[in-house]
Amino acid sequence: MNSNYYAILMAGGVGSRFWPVSTAMCPKQFQDVLGVGETLVQSTFRRLSQLIPRENIYILTNKNYSDIVKEQLPGVKQEQIVLEPVMRNTAPSILLAAMKIKQKNKDAVMMVAPSDHWIQGEQQFVEDLEFAFEEAAEDDKLITLGITPSFPNTGYGYIKYDDTEEKRMMPVQAFTEKPNFKKAEAFLREGNYVWNAGIFIWNANAILQNFEKLLPEMYRLFEKGNAAWNTEKEQEFLDENYPLANKISIDYGIIEKAENVHMIPASFKWNDLGTWGSLQEQLPQDDNGNTLINARFLSFEAEGNIIRTEKNKVVVIEGLKDYIVLENEQVLLIMPKKNEQNIKEIRDKAMEKFGDKLG
């Protein structure tokens, strides 16, 4: 393995669209939402360690999740767990990680990966990643992986690329945040658009130069911590200064404005697992289209449902079609699949009436 390769696992989100299974105390990246015997962060760590030395994989998460990370990734050292005092979106956390890694290894090439996505075709994933690392090591390209769209999804961002003869990696023309359906249809007709998977690869020098140019105030704020990175004084510096950083995503703050951005089309299957409906697409179904997670099911004219319980509970349903049935130890949620975009709002109302611990 190449000792210059590093990875940043983004594991600080709450995953409120997967409530009540995902809660602030134990969000979806630390849950086995697929029912496969390992949590999403464990799957992601294992996948990345096929190319990247385990000791070079950093987990960026909220300070409240430090113990969960240690429990689920027991081989990880404390110095690999980077704790955000407060949530400030992705740009500050990635800047922090880049500065830490650059100080440790001036030749570092790093990737940024969400910890809660589903990927099928791990060998293809590793091959795509290895090609991206090789390209990023040579010059100052900022590289993103793009997913060939299968339908006009309005829940993803889109990347427009130059359709050049070189099909392995193409220059990026523009990024578009979640479009409406009509615009998404037009993107698919044009052909030179892919979904933005939120997976980035670059050398540490290149991304730091872009931060200094495009987010200078944030860069100067974190630059004051150069003497503290990778020391016992680091957390004290973060507790004092991290809350002062602006809330901004890496996409909006850097990637959409930077030059020399390139896209590699992914050769693996991908899903961001953003909703229960997207989860159903990746799991087997019974003869009536019901998807079961940690449940034993007896069906009487029940069709197209998603059923997820605790501890492999027996579930008996009659006459229910296209519903979500979800539970944790405190909450049972039953709602039509078509209304799943309302889960965040329902979560907020439940917490308001019954207490914050539900969320």
Side-chain angles (χ1 to χ4, degrees):
M1 289 189 181
N2 193 322
S3 61
N4 292 334
Y5 290 178
Y6 289 77
I8 308 301
L9 259 63
M10 310 297 286
V14 175
S16 54
R17 287 182 293 177
F18 269 76
W19 185 83
V21 175
S22 177
T23 66
M25 294 297 292
C26 189
K28 74 167 182 173
Q29 61 267 29
F30 303 116
Q31 302 263 5
D32 180 12
V33 298
L34 293 166
V36 295
E38 62 181 0
T39 67
L40 293 174
V41 74
Q42 287 172 329
S43 296
T44 305
F45 189 93
R46 175 185 51 76
R47 188 184 307 123
L48 294 180
S49 64
Q50 296 177 51
L51 178 67
I52 299 163
R54 295 172 69 90
E55 64 272 18
N56 288 0
I57 302 176
Y58 287 70
I59 297 89
L60 264 65
T61 190
N62 188 276
K63 63 180 181 179
N64 296 327
Y65 304 143
S66 177
D67 290 341
I68 302 178
V69 172
K70 292 176 187 176
E71 178 184 338
Q72 295 197 1
L73 301 173
V76 166
K77 299 176 182 177
Q78 181 64 50
E79 65 189 48
Q80 294 171 251
I81 305 172
V82 184
L83 302 176
E84 304 169 284
V86 292
M87 292 184 180
R88 282 293 180 268
N89 214 316
T90 53
S93 58
I94 291 171
L95 173 58
L96 163 63
M99 285 186 164
K100 282 172 58 66
I101 290 170
K102 169 68 183 307
Q103 188 182 82
K104 183 165 283 191
N105 183 343
K106 63 181 179 59
D107 298 318
V109 185
M110 54 186 281
M111 74 167 297
V112 176
S115 61
D116 55 359
H117 288 183
W118 173 89
I119 285 174
Q120 184 180 42
E122 293 197 357
Q123 183 58 41
Q124 292 94 325
F125 172 79
V126 170
E127 290 173 1
D128 288 350
L129 205 55
E130 190 161 25
F131 174 68
F133 268 96
E134 290 170 356
E135 290 292 324
E138 291 180 3
D139 57 29
D140 292 336
K141 294 186 184 79
L142 305 185
I143 298 173
T144 182
L145 299 186
I147 309 299
T148 302
S150 54
F151 68 101
N153 193 318
T154 59
Y156 297 150
Y158 284 71
I159 302 170
K160 183 180 183 181
Y161 61 89
D162 284 335
D163 195 5
T164 60
E165 292 183 4
E166 173 52 63
K167 299 296 184 182
R168 190 76 194 272
M169 182 173 67
M170 287 84 83
V172 169
Q173 290 185 20
F175 290 82
T176 301
E177 294 300 318
K178 302 172 182 177
N180 59 37
F181 186 77
K182 189 173 181 180
K183 185 174 285 187
E185 281 190 315
F187 289 168
L188 264 65
R189 284 196 301 270
E190 288 184 44
N192 60 327
Y193 284 84
V194 291
W195 290 334
N196 184 358
I199 300 173
F200 305 106
I201 304 95
W202 44 55
N203 69 61
N205 284 316
I207 193 61
L208 288 174
Q209 288 170 7
N210 275 278
F211 267 103
E212 188 173 13
K213 177 181 178 181
L214 300 172
L215 292 175
E217 289 186 11
M218 186 181 295
Y219 182 86
R220 286 194 294 270
L221 173 66
F222 281 79
E223 191 178 31
K224 293 189 297 183
N226 282 344
W229 303 141
N230 306 311
T231 74
E232 58 187 20
K233 296 181 179 179
E234 178 178 300
Q235 196 62 49
E236 180 182 350
F237 175 86
L238 290 178
D239 290 343
E240 182 178 344
N241 292 278
Y242 200 89
L244 303 177
N246 289 334
K247 292 183 180 181
I248 189 169
S249 70
I250 190 69
D251 302 72
Y252 185 75
I254 301 292
I255 304 299
E256 295 178 13
K257 300 170 184 175
E259 300 174 356
N260 206 24
V261 181
H262 287 70
M263 186 278 298
I264 294 174
S267 58
F268 52 88
K269 292 183 179 180
W270 167 92
N271 192 301
D272 76 335
L273 298 183
T275 63
W276 287 105
S278 67
L279 176 66
Q280 188 174 31
E281 297 169 11
Q282 314 308 332
L283 293 174
Q285 301 173 15
D286 68 11
D287 292 341
N288 294 312
N290 298 296
T291 297
L292 311 175
I293 307 166
N294 298 331
R296 292 172 287 166
F297 187 47
L298 182 59
S299 169
F300 296 93
E301 297 182 2
E303 302 175 8
N305 302 294
I306 303 172
I307 301 155
R308 198 275 188 191
T309 72
E310 296 286 320
K311 300 176 182 177
N312 206 29
K313 187 173 292 182
V314 172
V315 180
V316 183
I317 294 179
E318 180 180 2
L320 203 63
K321 183 177 181 180
D322 294 331
Y323 265 68
I324 301 173
V325 180
L326 310 168
E327 72 155 6
N328 65 12
E329 292 181 355
Q330 292 181 288
V331 178
L332 172 64
L333 173 67
I334 304 171
M335 67 184 299
K337 284 196 302 188
K338 66 180 181 180
N339 295 339
E340 70 172 344
Q341 294 297 333
N342 299 332
I343 285 181
K344 287 179 72 172
E345 182 181 347
I346 290 170
R347 168 184 175 266
D348 293 343
K349 289 181 178 178
M351 291 168 61
E352 183 180 341
K353 183 168 185 176
F354 300 111
D356 290 347
K357 290 184 179 179
L358 293 184

